């Protein structure tokens, strides 16, 4: 289990993490989302032991990550920008990781070679961005990690390879109980794979729940109603097209339905909410909304 | 798998060796050509193979290790300077202490392994060709490893200070030479403001190892059999500066230890920063400011005032130049630290503090607040005085002469205003500059050095009460000249390496000949010595008048000699005058009659 308790990190006076709390259960696929500059990459660098927090705790399995070789050897990390030694091939990097990660499996490496259509003797500097990502997954999965931390993992991959990689990850999660923490701006894709989601803003965790809880706690309603709606409805966002109004309301679906029905609308219906919509409307409440700017 | 030793990671070390193989291969090849290949092809008739090996170790070795160390350091620690690499490398399951020690020890092996190969190759050639230089080869190995140990450790320390790949070599070079350069520049500036402060003396070379190794750690030549005209001498070559090398290596280890603690505390987010250690940022800023103030300020002053020395006669202008240099340095440092050009707001207080300190310092120097200029040691506290002037240098222990020097020095200090006015008004193309260096060796073991640069013109020269005239009467007295040439007159014939006479006779025929040791000795004892007693030869020329020109003969006599206690040969040159009767008589007995200027006037 990954636990981040009240972590603060400051860069030259700028508070990048401001008392952040985060909790990832074992075997979960946790989607970390947030606007640019929210602190997602910063907390990932704490979780991989690169940064040391100013205060708070960053724990994996109850132990601090920083300078903890035992814990770090169970974590594989794929950063947004893949690093490899200049002029090294995938095979060279494999030999290096084999010497560094005690659980590294050459058998898995060779098996994954069938999946990734890459020449492992070719210098990595010649690979495209998408091929580099594939190579990173190849090497990371060969390390047989218990925790996989991914920063914008499928950025640059073609749709087929995306599906392929997610399938491999799902397999690892289901067979070995691997915990995956993934930071991405591609919310539609996260929605398909994540079972837990955390939304960060300004170095803090705004919401952190399982995806089903999150989707159950916010309702999108379309209705036509001439009478005023009950004041107890927590409406996050309103828009209208002709007489049809679309409301985003915080609350359980049954409770919201009951309240709206009490206003006797001419017509109303609840519509499923996507993760992207939840993200937009939740952050709209903290002054992070799409601004309508008209360029002259 | 991680190594069982927690301070060393074999996979990481192996990777370093394979990744940067080009470096150590190039290093090996260069040394291979300098030592083993030279051993195969060497045939220098003046210097033996042992001299070549020892000299290579200290001269070539210090230069190549200085360069190689920074290259190795830049390669091994390159991952620290890019965010992309550091986010991957620091995430590996390797502790920082293991990472640091592995890279450090790998770096040391980058020198030790190639040098072991060179040593083994040298031994094999030694066995095959019978050079008998095994000890010298071992010395070479030790020299190179000790030099590299210091330079690499220092480069490692610099790598821990900075987060920028370009700053690493810059910092390494600057810090390696900073003591010598800054001492020289500060002395130049101070000598401008402080009467008697030497600009040319450099006392802290030991803190700039490359400079010290190249200037003070030479291979010693020991003459075991003195050469004669018929037989060649026998020489041994020895290296006696192991203490300095061992101290360097120990200091290097200290730097490496500091680097270790800096690395353990290093903020990995500092990749790309000029100074990675937060606490050292103000130190860098003010050191950079002082450095720029001295270097840039002095440069601007020299260009604007069109003078390379004596800038102190324009104290206001020099102060403004130093402030300008400081301004460039202070805000330049801010720009480097903050990685932006917009540093003008909110940083003027720091520059104000610097400016105030600089003004106070210059004021105290200009007005001699600390009494440096006025200080002349008490006669009874002086053990000896080393006096250097023109081409002569002597250490004087005679009480009467020391009293004369102290009295003259006191008169000079009192005459400071006049001397500075002369310097300021020095536009006479016929004036001479006389440099006088004095070092008082006190009874308590301390030394008091002073350097003076005096203007000599015709008016001063003819004034019997002038400082320069007083100095001439004392320095060029026969007794004093005999004293400062005492070591030459104490030489026997065997200690004269050569005596060479050259000149022109009245018929404009040039002559030059090397005398035998016996002839040279006879010339010294029968000609020059009695003439010097009579005050007709050996005087230093502080000002060249028409009378001097008329009296000089067109001949020079050069002695190269080495007395028992001296390791190196010394040289003395004499020009006889028409009054040097004994010297001219001896030259005539050898068949040389040098011309005088009147000979050519008649023709």
């Amino acid at each position: 289990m990954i636990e981040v308790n009240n972590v603060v990190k400051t860069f030259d006076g700028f508070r990048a993490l401001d008392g952040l709390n985060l909790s990832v259960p074992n075997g979960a696929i946790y989607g970390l989302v947030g606007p640019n500059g929210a602190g997602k990459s910063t907390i990932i660098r704490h979780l991989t032991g690169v940064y040391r927090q100013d205060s708070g705790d960053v724990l994996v399995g109850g132990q601090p990550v920083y300078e903890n070789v035992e814990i770090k050897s169970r974590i594989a990390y794929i950063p947004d920008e893949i690093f490899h030694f200049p002029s090294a091939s995938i095979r060279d990097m494999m030999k290096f990781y084999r010497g560094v990660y005690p659980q590294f499996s050459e058998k898995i490496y060779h098996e994954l070679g069938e999946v990734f259509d890459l020449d492992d003797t070719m210098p990595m500097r010649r690979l495209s961005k998408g091929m580099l990502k594939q190579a990173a997954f190849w090497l990371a999965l060969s390390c047989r990690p218990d925790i996989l931390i991914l920063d914008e993992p499928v950025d640059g991959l073609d749709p087929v390879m995306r599906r392929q990689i997610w399938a491999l990850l799902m397999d690892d999660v289901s067979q070995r109980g691997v915990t995956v923490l993934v930071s991405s701006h591609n919310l539609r894709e996260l929605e398909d794979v994540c079972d837990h989601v955390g939304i960060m803003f300004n170095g803090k965790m705004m919401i952190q729940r399982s995806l089903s809880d999150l989707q159950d706690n916010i309702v999108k309603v379309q209705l036509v109603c001439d009478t005023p709606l009950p004041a107890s409805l927590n409406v996050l966002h309103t828009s209208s097209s002709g007489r049809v109004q679309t409301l985003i309301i915080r609350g359980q679906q049954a409770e919201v339905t009951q309240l709206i029905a009490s206003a006797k609308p001419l017509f109303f219906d609840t519509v499923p909410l996507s993760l992207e919509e939840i993200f937009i409307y939740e952050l709209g409440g903290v002054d992070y909304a799409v601004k309508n700017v008209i360029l002259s | 798998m991680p190594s069982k030793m927690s301070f060393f990671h074999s996979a990481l070390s192996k990777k370093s060796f394979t990744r940067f193989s080009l470096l150590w291969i190039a290093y090996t090849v260069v040394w291979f050509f300098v030592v083993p290949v030279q051993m195969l092809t060497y045939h220098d008739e003046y210097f033996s193979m042992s001299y070549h090996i020892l000299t290579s170790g200290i001269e070539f070795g210090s230069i190549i290790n200085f360069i190689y160390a920074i290259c190795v350091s830049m390669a091994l620690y390159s991952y620290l300077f890019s965010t992309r690499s550091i986010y991957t490398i620091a995430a590996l399951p390797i502790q920082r202490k293991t990472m640091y020690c592995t890279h450090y020890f790998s770096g040391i092996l980058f020198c030790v392994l190639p040098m072991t190969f060179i040593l083994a190759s040298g031994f094999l050639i030694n066995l095959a060709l019978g050079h008998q230089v095994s000890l010298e080869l071992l010395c070479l190995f030790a020299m190179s490893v000790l030099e590299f140990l210091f330079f690499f450790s220092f480069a490692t320390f610099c790598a821990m200070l900075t987060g920028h790949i370009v700053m690493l070599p810059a910092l390494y070079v600057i810090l390696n030479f900073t003591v010598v350069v800054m001492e020289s520049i500060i002395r130049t500036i101070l000598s401008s403001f402080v009467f008697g402060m030497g600009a040319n003396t450099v006392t802290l070379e030991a803190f700039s190892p490359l400079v010290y190794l190249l200037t003070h750690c030479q291979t010693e030549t020991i003459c075991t059999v003195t050469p004669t005209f018929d037989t060649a001498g026998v020489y041994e070559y020895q290296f006696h500066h192991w203490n300095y090398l061992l101290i360097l290596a120990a200091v290097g280890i200290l730097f490496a230890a500091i680097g270790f603690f800096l690395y353990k505390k290093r903020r990995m987010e500092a990749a790309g920063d000029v100074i990675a250690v937060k606490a050292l940022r103000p130190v860098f800023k003010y050191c950079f400011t002082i450095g720029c103030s001295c270097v840039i300020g002095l440069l601007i002053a020299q260009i604007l005032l069109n003078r390379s020395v004596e800038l102190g006669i324009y104290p206001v202008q020099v102060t403004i130049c130093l402030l300008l240099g400081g301004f460039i340095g202070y805000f330049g440092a801010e720009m480097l630290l903050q990685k932006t050009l917009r540093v003008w707001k909110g940083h003027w207080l720091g520059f104000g503090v610097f400016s105030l300190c600089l003004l106070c310092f210059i004021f105290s120097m200009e007005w001699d607040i600390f009494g440096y200029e006025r200080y002349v040691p008490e006669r009874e506290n002086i053990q000896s005085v080393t006096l250097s002037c023109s081409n002569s240098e002597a250490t004087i222990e005679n009480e009467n002469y020391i009293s004369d020097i102290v009295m003259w020095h006191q008169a000079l200090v009192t005459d400071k205003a006049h001397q500075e006015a002369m310097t300021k008004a020095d536009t006479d193309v016929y004036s001479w500059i006389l440099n006088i260096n004095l070092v008082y060796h006190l009874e308590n073991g301390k030394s008091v050095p002073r350097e003076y640069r005096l203007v000599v013109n015709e008016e001063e020269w003819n004034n019997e009460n002038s400082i320069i005239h007083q100095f001439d009467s004392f320095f060029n007295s026969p007794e004093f000249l005999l004293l400062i040439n005492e070591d030459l007159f104490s030489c026997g014939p065997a200690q004269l390496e050569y005596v060479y006479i050259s000149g022109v006779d009245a018929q404009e025929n040039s002559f030059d000949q090397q005398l035998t040791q016996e002839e040279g000795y006879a010339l010294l004892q029968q000609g020059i010595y009695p003439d010097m007693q009579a005050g007709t030869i050996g005087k230093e020329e502080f000002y060249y008048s028409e009378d001097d020109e008329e009296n000089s003969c067109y001949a020079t006599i050069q002695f190269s000699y080495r007395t028992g206690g001296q390791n190196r040969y010394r040289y003395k040159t004499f020009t006889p005058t028409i009054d040097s009767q004994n010297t001219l008589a001896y030259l005539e007995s050898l068949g040389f009659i040098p011309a005088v200027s009147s000979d050519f006037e008649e023709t």
Side-chain angles (χ1 to χ4, degrees), chain B residues 60-71 147-148 150-152 154-155 169 172-174 176-177 210:
Chain B
F60 178 76
S62 55
I63 293 170
I64 193 175
N65 283 317
F66 175 78
I67 298 166
Y68 183 56
I70 187 62
C71 294
E147 287 160 359
F148 183 81
F150 171 77
F151 287 126
F152 178 67
F154 188 66
Y172 174 76
V173 172
I174 289 169
N176 252 298
F177 293 102
L210 184 62

Side-chain angles (χ1 to χ4, degrees), chain B residues 27 31 54 56-66 69 111 140-153 172 213 239 245 248-249:
Chain B
Y27 182 73
W31 269 118
L54 291 174
S56 300
I58 202 68
E59 290 181 4
F60 178 76
S62 55
I63 293 170
I64 193 175
N65 283 317
F66 175 78
C111 169
L140 172 88
F141 177 84
M143 281 174 188
S144 197
V145 170
L146 291 172
E147 287 160 359
F148 183 81
L149 186 61
F150 171 77
F151 287 126
F152 178 67
S153 301
Y172 174 76
L213 285 169
F239 182 74
L245 281 179
L248 267 192

Side-chain angles (χ1 to χ4, degrees), chain B residues 285-313:
Chain B
K285 184 166 72 178
Y286 285 102
C287 287
F288 194 76
T289 305
I290 293 167
C292 284
S293 174
C294 293
V295 177
I296 299 175
L298 185 67
L299 197 67
I300 295 171
Q302 287 182 340
I303 292 167
L304 293 182
L305 302 173
N306 200 21
R307 273 174 184 267
S308 59
V309 288
E310 299 147 348
L311 293 164
I313 54 179

